[in-house]
């Protein structure tokens, strides 16, 4: 079997140019190859100390009582923060859940592929029986472990992609979920038809029809909002279609689809979560007029047509929409094995009960919210959560690693896969 870093090189458009990513991805860590002594950590710590000295910051104040005591002079993150240059987003954050994995598969569908334009005549035929596999291997071990997901393969039938822009100072409760999960500004929108499959054992892959739509556990349509902070994906709930004619008498379809946050995927079915708040996205496509998406929120019921009245329409040019139709099948194991990025900085606030901390990057002085849970390792080794939290209470400078989802992913709100303590108070 190929090593994880070889798989990444084969199946992602990620460019390891250090100018494109602030912190260089450490593929040696990704391969779990540990060295006895890390020169990189020492160099980074030296850089940190130099920056602090130049800035006139005294780091040897042992009478301050530790990071937890210093937090009294630092405000906790504001859950309504607008994520401007001087602010950070809500400290609430989800790990890779079912919907994020679906969205990640749709993002990869546009990597390293020749695109076609919806508005052009440069179409190509796709064989309905064609099933391309995103990985050059399907190992028996992939079938033995279902992880925590109700599927282990995702098939993206077709997808479209376009861009919108939501100003960073937008004040709208319906957009808060986008702000929290994706950030605001220039965003990509991906709409994809997909199916999911759950293969129970190695013998299933010998069934020639296993990836046929008729054998799918779930088939649906999703919309994914992609930003520098992450992804937000929800499923379609309803839609209606109108037929209009142009001046030449040619018929065109005008569609309006509502995607709703209350739909969730479970084993072999789509469940509905009737606990508010409910978020919705309206996708309106008009080949002869204005196309747009809108956002709505309801605390009492599933978002419907009326909830989008008087909502801001974020327009896009339907002629500039990119489309792919490759019927690619993605292995969940492949999607969840991600390259690692690193951040080094000083702890400015530590919430033990909330299991997160605020980290100030000593290189660019950006602020990050770092979440800790039972899966967080200490120096890439398994450790009891309480022990790690105890260590962090007296830590000052740390280095963390997190999953790097895609090119231009620059999150300020992440889960720490591993933490290394570089200095303590």
């Amino acid at each position: 079997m190929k090593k994880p870093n070889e798989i990444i090189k084969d199946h992602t458009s990620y460019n390891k140019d250090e100018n494109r990513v602030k912190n260089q991805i450490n593929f040696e860590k990704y391969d779990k190859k540990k060295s006895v002594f890390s020169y990189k950590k020492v160099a980074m710590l030296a850089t940190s100390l130099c920056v602090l000295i130049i800035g006139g910051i005294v780091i040897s104040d042992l009478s301050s009582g530790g990071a937890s005591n210093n937090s009294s002079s630092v405000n906790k993150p504001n859950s309504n923060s607008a994520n401007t240059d001087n602010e950070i987003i809500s400290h609430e954050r989800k790990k890779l859940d079912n919907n994020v994995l679906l969205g990640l598969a749709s993002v990869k569908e546009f990597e390293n592929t020749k695109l076609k334009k919806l508005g052009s005549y440069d179409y190509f035929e796709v064989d309905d029986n064609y099933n391309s596999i995103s990985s050059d291997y399907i190992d028996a071990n992939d079938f033995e472990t279902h992880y925590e997901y109700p599927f282990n393969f995702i098939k993206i039938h077709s997808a479209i992609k376009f861009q919108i822009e939501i100003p960073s100072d937008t004040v709208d409760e319906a957009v808060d979920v986008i702000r929290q999960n994706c950030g605001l500004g220039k965003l990509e929108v991906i709409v994809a038809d997909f199916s999911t499959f759950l293969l129970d054992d190695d013998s299933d892959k010998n069934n020639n029809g296993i990836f046929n739509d008729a054998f799918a556990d779930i088939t649906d349509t999703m919309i994914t909002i992609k930003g520098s902070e992450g992804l937000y994906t929800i499923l379609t709930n309803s839609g209606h279609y109108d037929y209009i004619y142009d001046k030449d008498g040619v018929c065109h379809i005008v569609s309006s689809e509502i995607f709703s946050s209350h739909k969730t995927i479970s084993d072999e079915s789509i469940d509905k979560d009737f606990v508010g708040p409910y978020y919705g996205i309206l996708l309106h496509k008009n080949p002869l007029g204005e196309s747009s998406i809108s956002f709505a929120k309801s605390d009492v019921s599933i978002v419907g047509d009326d909830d989008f009245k008087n909502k801001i329409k974020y327009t896009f040019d339907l002629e500039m929409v990119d489309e792919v139709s490759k019927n690619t099948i993605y292995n969940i194991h492949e999607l969840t094995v991600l390259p690692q990025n690193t951040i080094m900085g000083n702890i400015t606030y530590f919430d033990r009960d909330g299991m997160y901390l605020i980290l100030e990057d000593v290189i660019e002085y950006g602020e990050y919210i770092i979440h800790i849970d039972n899966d967080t390792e200490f120096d890439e080794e398994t450790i009891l959560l309480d022990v790690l939290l105890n260590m962090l209470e007296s830590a000052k400078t740390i280095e963390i690693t997190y999953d790097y989802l895609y090119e231009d992913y620059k999150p300020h709100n992440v889960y720490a896969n591993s933490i290394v303590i570089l200095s303590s108070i």
Side-chain angles (χ1 to χ4, degrees):
M1 184 185 298
K2 289 188 175 182
K3 294 181 180 180
N5 60 337
E6 293 174 341
I7 297 170
I8 295 298
K9 291 177 181 177
D10 289 345
H11 304 292
T12 182
S13 64
Y14 170 65
N15 183 347
K16 292 183 287 182
D17 182 352
E18 294 183 17
N19 293 325
R20 300 179 70 89
V21 183
K22 177 174 65 61
N23 296 307
Q24 182 181 6
I25 290 178
N26 188 337
F27 279 96
E28 291 185 357
K29 280 190 176 183
Y30 180 50
D31 284 334
K32 298 295 183 181
K33 293 180 180 178
K34 294 181 63 63
S35 60
V36 176
F37 188 80
S38 174
Y39 291 98
K40 176 188 173 185
K41 293 174 184 176
V42 174
M44 294 178 73
L45 178 57
T47 302
S48 171
L49 295 176
C50 291
V51 171
L52 294 177
I53 292 172
I54 293 173
I57 302 174
V58 179
I59 64 172
S60 60
D61 183 7
L62 300 180
S63 62
S64 59
S68 59
N69 292 335
N70 284 340
S71 65
S72 61
S73 62
V74 180
N75 293 329
K76 290 187 178 181
N78 182 355
S79 60
N80 296 319
S81 173
N83 192 27
T84 62
D85 290 340
N86 297 320
E87 294 179 307
I88 48 181
I89 61 179
S90 165
H91 68 272
E92 297 177 2
R93 189 71 170 182
K94 291 182 179 180
K95 299 186 73 173
L96 290 179
D97 60 11
N98 300 336
N99 283 6
V100 173
L101 283 176
L102 290 174
L104 190 56
S106 70
V107 167
K108 289 185 176 294
E109 194 73 346
F110 285 92
E111 295 180 351
N112 292 328
T113 183
K114 181 179 180 181
L115 303 179
K116 61 178 180 178
K117 301 291 185 181
L118 283 179
S120 73
Y121 294 97
D122 185 23
Y123 285 85
F124 55 87
E125 296 295 329
V126 178
D127 185 352
D128 290 337
N129 295 319
Y130 171 71
N131 290 321
S132 62
I133 306 295
S134 65
S135 174
D136 58 2
Y137 74 97
I138 297 181
D139 190 87
N141 292 329
D142 298 332
F143 297 88
E144 295 172 0
T145 306
H146 291 170
Y147 312 97
E148 64 224 78
Y149 310 108
F151 47 83
N152 49 22
F153 287 92
I154 301 170
K155 179 179 179 181
I156 303 295
H157 301 282
S158 61
I160 63 172
K161 180 180 72 171
F162 56 89
Q163 291 189 340
I164 62 171
E165 183 169 357
I166 304 178
S168 59
D169 59 352
T170 299
V171 179
D172 183 353
E173 286 188 350
V175 176
D176 285 345
V177 68
I178 307 301
R179 187 197 319 277
Q180 175 181 314
N181 288 279
C182 311
L184 299 185
K186 292 184 179 180
L187 303 169
E188 281 188 357
V189 181
I190 301 174
V191 183
D193 297 323
F194 71 94
S195 294
T196 63
F197 300 85
L198 180 62
L199 308 191
D200 293 325
D201 55 55
D202 189 46
S203 62
D204 277 347
K205 70 178 180 180
N206 295 321
N207 186 337
N208 292 329
I210 194 62
F211 290 129
N212 186 285
D213 296 352
F215 293 88
D217 295 310
I218 302 293
T219 296
D220 211 317
T221 302
M222 62 176 152
I223 190 167
T224 298
I225 311 297
K226 173 191 172 188
S228 61
E229 293 287 342
L231 302 173
Y232 179 70
T233 300
I234 54 177
L235 306 183
T236 184
N237 187 52
S238 63
H240 60 267
Y241 305 87
D242 297 319
Y243 300 91
I244 59 175
Y245 295 86
D246 60 23
K247 61 182 180 180
D248 297 322
V250 178
C251 182
H252 299 268
I253 299 176
V254 177
S255 63
S256 294
E257 296 176 85
I258 296 178
F259 299 79
S260 177
S261 64
H262 82 286
K263 293 179 63 176
T264 59
I265 292 181
S266 63
D267 293 347
E268 300 183 358
S269 66
I270 292 180
D271 292 342
K272 296 182 179 181
D273 183 4
F274 296 103
V275 177
Y278 304 92
Y279 293 93
I281 300 175
L282 173 63
L283 172 64
H284 180 71
K285 293 187 291 185
N286 184 351
L288 299 181
E290 185 178 78
S291 297
S292 64
I293 70 169
S294 304
F295 301 90
K297 175 190 175 185
S298 173
D299 292 319
V300 296
S301 63
I302 299 169
V303 172
D305 289 312
D306 290 342
D307 294 294
F308 291 97
K309 291 181 178 179
N310 302 319
K311 301 299 293 184
I312 297 176
K313 296 180 179 180
Y314 299 95
T315 61
F316 62 94
D317 187 350
L318 194 59
E319 295 291 317
M320 297 302 295
V321 169
D322 295 323
E323 181 184 25
V324 290
S325 299
K326 300 189 299 179
N327 288 307
T328 311
I329 297 168
Y330 292 92
N331 187 332
I332 291 302
H333 176 71
E334 178 185 337
L335 287 176
T336 55
V337 178
L338 294 163
Q340 302 293 290
N341 201 8
T342 63
I343 305 172
M344 187 189 73
N346 295 322
I347 300 174
T348 59
Y349 179 83
F350 176 53
D351 188 326
R352 184 188 178 101
D353 294 333
M355 292 194 299
Y356 74 91
L357 56 87
I358 299 178
L359 195 68
E360 182 180 14
D361 187 330
V362 297
I363 305 300
E364 294 188 355
Y365 295 103
E367 283 189 322
Y368 298 82
I369 298 178
I370 309 300
H371 299 265
I372 305 129
D373 63 13
N374 285 306
D375 296 325
T376 303
E377 299 176 338
F378 175 69
D379 201 8
E380 299 180 352
E381 297 290 343
T382 301
I383 187 173
L384 292 175
L385 180 59
D386 284 344
V387 175
L388 178 59
L389 294 175
N390 289 339
M391 296 170 66
L392 289 174
E393 286 187 333
S394 60
K396 178 61 178 179
T397 305
I398 65 172
E399 177 187 89
I400 70 105
T401 63
Y402 65 91
D403 292 333
Y404 188 78
L405 299 184
Y406 44 76
E407 188 175 346
D408 297 327
Y409 181 53
K410 299 176 181 178
H412 287 78
N413 195 353
V414 297
Y415 274 87
N417 293 332
S418 183
I419 294 178
V420 177
I421 296 177
L422 302 177
S423 70
S424 299
I425 295 178

